[in-house]
Amino acid sequence: MATKNFPQGFIFGGATAAYQVEGATAEDGRGPCAWDEYLNRPGSRYHGDPASDFYHQYKEDLRLCKAFGINGIRISISWTRIIPDGVGPVNQKGIAYYDQLIDECIAQGVEPFVTLHHFDTPLPLFKNGHWLNRATIDAFLNFAQICFEHYGDRVRKWATFNEPWSIAQNGYIAGNFPPNETFQIGKAIQIEHNLMVAHAKAVNMYKSMGLPGSIGIVHTLEGKEPITPTPENIHARDLDDAISNRFMMDACYKGEYTPEVMALINEILKKNGAKLETEPEDFEAMKSAAKKMDFLGMNYYSSHFLQAYEGESKVVNNSTGAKGTSVFCLQGIGARVSNPEVPTTDWDWPIYPEGMYRQLKRIQKYYPEVKEIYISENGMGYKDDFVNGEIDDTPRIDYVRKHLAYLLKAVDEGVPVKGYYIWSLMDVLSWSNGYNKRYGLFYVDYETQKRYPKKSAYWYRDMAESGELDLPE
Ligand code: BGP
């Protein structure tokens, strides 16, 4: 089998997020986040406990990382462990937990990549308007400052936010994240902007503190392609690309909304009877932060195929793995349709590895300001079969291998990708699907919380140790 080398110093990572792995939602003074209330509502199919019990088992997970050649881990800090009400008194037990976790990462040679906000907004702030309320920005900056002060001596990679677009889209358009609103496209754009302001101010604060690490953001940058290259479908692609990707890439790396992208956003706003509110100081913060950005974290799972669409918004979320049940049509934007030539997961996510390469090349073209890129999430949701303690997840290996082959092609062409964090390190709670959608290198038996390496874990270990990818046929 032909092989290809990874660049020297490449990070072979595994990704997690606090709420999806820690469990222990009521321990040691942690306050509730929006997801606690949502997943504890009557009729909820699953809860934030036990998740993967990382709160207690992080040492075992880091031992497994080391044993399997994994030299980087994405973790996030639960805001309500540090500040239980979102604002106000600091919880020393929360501070101590992340102290120990970060120290253990370093002791095991597994570099922590720390995200400040991975969807888990404190419940009181959420109830008070979430990211539509600018007071949440100030509360976030206070939380960020505490984290930088406590952990900034040891953490070398910080991300302000995970996937602002998912916060906006899933919470206000698709309705499968709290607050479960649907088709509020104007609110979603306003939230994107407010998150960009919070991000920029946090970057500026970090850079004023003289700490030794680097800072960036994690965006979900799904590919956007016209289903057929008609001018109407290409325009639908451009609209979806603007609201999902380029609006916030502009904010982070150019420090402004470029006229081309803003024209597309204005078209979407107009067709949805909405208006964006901004302050002059927002742009001062964004301009200054853009020059200081050290890296981009890019999450890539899939690409969407766009068709022109003139009707009202309608969305059906496939949250159970019933293949072929998704619908996603947005007023003023377009319809995401299935491409018969592209396979999908059971949750209807198109599997399109070439899309990762195409997206990396688009970043190289449109955002030459981006100095370093980490693929901060990529992986395959799968209903793994557990047979006598063994898990043969060959489809996941194929998925990752194909994406990595395209990643290395982009590297050959000068795209500065420095690492890859598979989603996920171990099986975790899936926000809108629960526990039967598994992504991990390590299988978690949620009854016993015992970990079992999957076939993919051994494959990943051999690749990390050799620094070579066995290329797909
Ligand atoms: C990303 C999130 C992760 C993770 C992943 C898989 O959007 O950053 O937290 O959940 O998607 O998504 P899902 O669990 O919905 O399959």
Side-chain angles (χ1 to χ4, degrees), residues 106-406:
I106 294 167
Q108 295 291 351
V110 183
E111 191 200 47
F113 174 133
V114 180
T115 304
L116 290 169
H117 182 278
H118 196 126
F119 302 161
D120 48 359
T121 305
L123 185 60
L125 298 172
F126 172 76
K127 290 199 156 179
N128 218 9
H130 203 199
W131 294 102
L132 287 166
N133 184 344
R134 280 180 169 248
T136 308
I137 300 177
D138 297 329
F140 172 73
L141 292 172
N142 174 50
F143 163 60
Q145 184 173 357
I146 291 167
C147 294
F148 295 153
E149 280 169 359
H150 281 277
Y151 312 120
D153 57 336
R154 284 155 289 162
V155 173
R156 294 292 187 271
K157 288 189 177 66
W158 290 97
T160 52
F161 286 94
N162 179 71
E163 298 191 353
W165 174 234
S166 298
I167 299 170
Q169 171 185 252
N170 298 1
Y172 297 84
I173 297 177
N176 58 348
F177 274 22
N180 311 99
E181 293 187 16
T182 45
F183 319 140
Q184 301 299 317
I185 291 174
K187 278 191 191 174
I189 294 173
Q190 187 67 54
I191 283 180
E192 291 184 284
H193 173 74
N194 292 0
L195 286 166
M196 291 302 92
V197 176
H199 155 81
K201 289 186 171 177
V203 169
N204 292 334
M205 178 203 292
Y206 179 77
K207 288 294 181 179
S208 72
M209 291 171 77
L211 293 164
S214 60
I215 192 161
I217 190 167
V218 171
H219 281 305
T220 171
L221 295 172
E222 307 294 38
K224 306 288 175 184
E225 309 286 346
I227 185 73
T228 53
T230 64
E232 294 79 11
N233 292 344
I234 289 171
H235 189 59
R237 186 277 309 276
D238 289 344
L239 291 165
D240 197 347
D241 192 34
I243 191 174
S244 311
N245 299 330
R246 293 193 62 195
F247 186 56
M248 288 180 295
M249 284 296 288
D250 272 11
C252 290
Y253 296 96
K254 301 210 178 285
E256 64 179 5
Y257 302 125
T258 54
E260 179 197 349
V261 171
M262 204 58 226
L264 293 160
I265 294 293
N266 281 332
E267 180 181 333
I268 297 170
L269 285 166
K270 192 164 171 221
K271 285 188 183 156
N272 285 278
K275 215 172 138 264
L276 175 65
E277 282 174 21
T278 62
E279 307 277 345
E281 63 153 59
D282 300 351
F283 296 97
E284 282 162 34
M286 274 161 46
K287 262 256 146 349
S288 160
K291 297 190 202 102
K292 303 176 185 142
M293 286 288 277
D294 295 306
F295 65 84
L296 163 69
M298 165 171 154
N299 293 354
Y300 177 87
Y301 290 88
S302 190
S303 289
H304 301 134
F305 298 91
L306 271 298
Q307 192 167 52
Y309 177 77
E310 296 300 336
E312 289 182 358
S313 296
K314 49 182 186 201
V315 172
V316 177
N317 299 302
N318 168 1
S319 60
T320 58
K323 209 168 178 161
T325 54
S326 303
V327 176
F328 205 99
C329 307
L330 295 187
Q331 176 171 317
I333 300 178
R336 297 179 191 168
V337 295
S338 67
N339 180 337
E341 283 163 28
V342 173
T344 59
T345 69
D346 285 345
W347 287 264
D348 298 327
W349 293 18
I351 301 175
Y352 189 55
E354 190 183 344
M356 175 187 272
Y357 165 80
R358 290 173 61 79
Q359 194 61 294
L360 287 167
K361 293 293 285 182
R362 280 167 70 82
I363 294 166
Q364 186 183 39
K365 176 173 168 195
Y366 291 116
Y367 301 100
E369 300 84 357
V370 173
K371 297 179 205 139
E372 283 186 357
I373 301 175
Y374 295 90
I375 298 299
S376 36
E377 285 181 32
N378 171 249
M380 184 175 164
Y382 190 60
K383 297 171 197 160
D384 291 301
D385 285 326
F386 184 81
V387 184
N388 300 327
E390 294 193 3
I391 302 98
D392 181 345
D393 58 343
T394 301
R396 179 174 291 116
I397 297 173
D398 288 345
Y399 176 103
V400 174
R401 183 195 316 221
K402 284 181 184 148
H403 282 82
L404 286 172
Y406 275 114

